[in-house]
Amino acid sequence: MRTEAGPPVTVVVGAGLVGASIGHALTGAGWRVHLVDAVPSHAMVAAGLGAGTAEPAEPSEVGLVVVAVPPRTIADVVGESLQTYPYATVTDVGSVKAGVLDALWERPVDLTRYVGSHPMAGSHHSGPVTADGDLFVDRTWVVTPHRKSAEASTARVVELVRACRARLVTLDVDDHDAAVARVSHLPHLVSVLMAGHLTDVPEEDLVLAGQGLRDVTRIAGGDPGLWQQIVRANATAVLRELRQVAVSLDRLITAVETAPTDEAPADLSLSRELERGVDGTRRIPGKHGSAAVPYEQVVVAIPDEPGALARLFGDVEAAGVNVEDIAIEHDASRQVGYLTLSVQPERAEGLAVVMRDGGWTVV
Amino acid sequence: MRTEAGPPVTVVVGAGLVGASIGHALTGAGWRVHLVDAVPSHAMVAAGLGAGTAEPAEPSEVGLVVVAVPPRTIADVVGESLQTYPYATVTDVGSVKAGVLDALWERPVDLTRYVGSHPMAGSHHSGPVTADGDLFVDRTWVVTPHRKSAEASTARVVELVRACRARLVTLDVDDHDAAVARVSHLPHLVSVLMAGHLTDVPEEDLVLAGQGLRDVTRIAGGDPGLWQQIVRANATAVLRELRQVAVSLDRLITAVETAPTDEAPADLSLSRELERGVDGTRRIPGKHGSAAVPYEQVVVAIPDEPGALARLFGDVEAAGVNVEDIAIEHDASRQVGYLTLSVQPERAEGLAVVMRDGGWTVV
């Protein structure tokens, strides 16, 4: 039985991007980390890169188990871990929390030692990415204690979040699931809806597609297998949002159907829907958790050739202006792209002048 | 009456971004351009910047009128122009074509001289932008002849498109409106729908918002006044698409409602909706009108400090790699942003190595 002070001996189950990144972060913080994966070579690769050891842990010595497996298998792996490691706090890093808890509730396991969590990082860097111990630094990591969980278990998961240098947010299980349904799962499905509609659009129409369509549909390209598990796991909360959107869509259709008349030439219903959309975009916090800042945009044409961006940013640096955000736009058929530089409003005019003087086309 | 050879004396009605940019492009190509605006000072400012002259034209000398006014007033201004300039071809640059034609059809005007058009440029650079004669270079410019238009009128509008160095696409009026309903107006309204939904989301939930939500809702921030006119003008085609989306949404809701059973554990309906979304994103052509290219992404952490981007692109340039697309991500609460560099797949590995060697964190 583990009694010594210091960080707990930790087992990370699942050596994918999130699991291995946790391994790196904890190892870097001086923790002892054992990596386990259904495919043993995955654990060995991650261990070889410094995320921990692939050697098995002595179960009675383990103080913390982090379950970083696909959503569908989380509940089973958490249940098994509670049994395998009799003194360990067990957490998971899945993006939906209630289903796991519900599945475990009636099982003969010690739920006082389980506290779910959800690091908000990594999920949209798809493709071959390498684990990174800094993945969670200053990112939100939600911890979701429940009615049966012991305070000591919650404290241990908080210790994990701190060791990964993430920003701790504590939420009730259902509140968490409702929140991610609204800001993550619903947007994904709305994007899927729009992108799916394109499968019925004639190819010659798609030649007219611009950046707006690309933005709206980008996340719909995410892994369908993973998203099926996420949506399935959060079905109740997701359905509540989807049904509200269906009501809004009906209202929007009615607004478009309602032609303006001589009596009501202002056509307020459609106007109201469009204004509501603008209001919604303004509610999304800006970067670093601050309120959305109305940056000003300086749009510069960039030749489509190697080195153009480096020269451009060199000139921006020379202007001494901090760029808050950038976006690049390559429309179909246009050889010259546009770079939108978002800067503090009081710096926009000066930047535009410097860029023009430097020979750039500022539009 | 105008009989001499060479480019036609041209009147541009409306000295906003699009109108003034056309003025610049035509003046640059040696055309004689007269600028007219409901607010005379706007025409004078544009003329002062080289987009033409604010002096009135001799009506009988005018060979082409380009109507670049807000959607709501296009039909009236086209009708007036056909009467004011008895020998001129008249075109407009609105983003919806059938409504204008319908409104003119029964009026006592010479419709053989009207041919609509739609330059696909400039509309999403909102805010204070300066007109640019290169705005249309290599961009798609749709010309929409109709049953009554004379071939000579179409030829004159084609001449305009060529002088602006745009890429000519000729489409039937209704085909054009159906296409933009699908690739532009519907995506806008779907984005509005999602963004509008956020007005009902608790503020504490929005702290968990990530890049996906921002992408899906970005265009919903567009000018509601302009979009109301566009949607109103293309209501029939937009409604057809919106109603199809309503059907798809119902199907998606049913798919989420339908829990997998022991008999059908694979839960094919939801999977099929998500796959359909992925298929849709793959149908959007890549930049320059080519088919979508599967670029590889190199994701680099960037410190949030002045000059970081310049140094970063300097190192990318030193690597000799052409960056096809970039995206920056500042999550709420994260002090270190991520820059995603899209490059040819065979260059990704090398770029990652060079960047790591240069001290950057490649994730």
Side-chain angles (χ1 to χ4, degrees), chain B residues 301-320:
Chain B
I302 37 169
D304 187 14
E305 58 186 39
L309 285 169
R311 287 202 315 280
L312 201 161
F313 279 102
D315 288 357
V316 173
E317 182 176 29

Side-chain angles (χ1 to χ4, degrees), chain A residues 190 193-198 201 212-213 216-217 249 252-253, chain B residues 177-193 216 219 227 230-231 234 237-246 248:
Chain A
V190 167
L193 205 59
M194 181 64 233
H197 190 74
L198 298 181
V201 168
L213 179 64
V216 176
T217 57
L249 177 54
L252 178 62
I253 289 174
Chain B
D177 287 359
V180 291
R182 289 163 183 149
V183 304
S184 171
H185 308 168
L186 177 66
H188 189 86
L189 292 177
V190 166
S191 183
V192 163
L193 205 60
V216 175
I219 54 174
W227 275 99
I230 292 172
V231 171
N234 204 17
V238 168
L239 278 171
R240 195 168 46 221
E241 305 304 315
L242 278 177
R243 289 187 186 121
Q244 285 177 18
V245 169
S248 300

Side-chain angles (χ1 to χ4, degrees), chain A residues 132 137-139 182 197-198 201 205 214 232 241 243 257 267 283 285 288 304 325 328 333-334, chain B residues 137-139 182 197-198 201 205 214 232 241 243 257 267 283 285 288 304 325 328 333-334:
Chain A
D132 171 13
V137 175
D138 290 327
R139 294 260 183 171
R182 289 163 183 150
H197 190 74
L198 298 181
V201 168
D205 291 3
R214 289 180 173 81
R232 183 57 64 213
E241 305 304 316
R243 289 187 187 121
E257 280 170 343
D267 179 30
R283 294 199 68 209
H288 305 168
D304 186 12
D325 201 358
I328 201 167
S333 84
R334 177 133 176 99
Chain B
V137 175
D138 289 327
R139 294 258 183 172
R182 289 163 183 149
H197 189 74
L198 298 181
V201 169
D205 291 3
R214 291 181 172 79
R232 184 58 62 214
E241 305 304 315
R243 289 187 186 121
E257 281 171 343
D267 179 31
R283 293 198 69 210
H288 306 166
D304 187 14
D325 201 357
I328 201 166
S333 85
R334 179 133 175 98

Side-chain angles (χ1 to χ4, degrees), chain B residues 22-94:
Chain B
I22 291 173
H24 280 288
L26 296 182
T27 303
W31 293 35
R32 214 171 98 205
V33 177
H34 294 265
L35 299 162
V36 178
D37 198 289
V39 182
S41 64
H42 289 184
M44 290 171 71
V45 166
L49 292 167
T53 172
E55 299 293 315
E58 163 55 43
S60 66
E61 283 184 0
V62 174
L64 177 66
V65 178
V66 181
V67 174
V69 299
R72 195 161 32 202
T73 55
I74 292 174
D76 286 343
V77 176
V78 167
E80 287 158 18
S81 299
L82 286 167
Q83 287 169 330
T84 305
Y85 307 98
Y87 308 115
T89 292
V90 178
T91 190
D92 71 302
V93 296

Side-chain angles (χ1 to χ4, degrees), chain B residues 270-312:
Chain B
L270 177 56
S271 170
R272 217 178 286 124
E273 298 300 322
L274 294 165
E275 295 279 6
R276 191 167 165 260
V278 173
D279 292 346
T281 62
R282 293 198 176 131
R283 293 198 69 210
I284 304 174
K287 68 168 182 168
H288 306 166
S290 57
V293 178
Y295 294 123
E296 211 146 291
Q297 273 79 44
V298 177
V299 182
V300 183
I302 37 169
D304 187 14
E305 58 186 39
L309 285 169
R311 287 202 315 280
L312 201 161

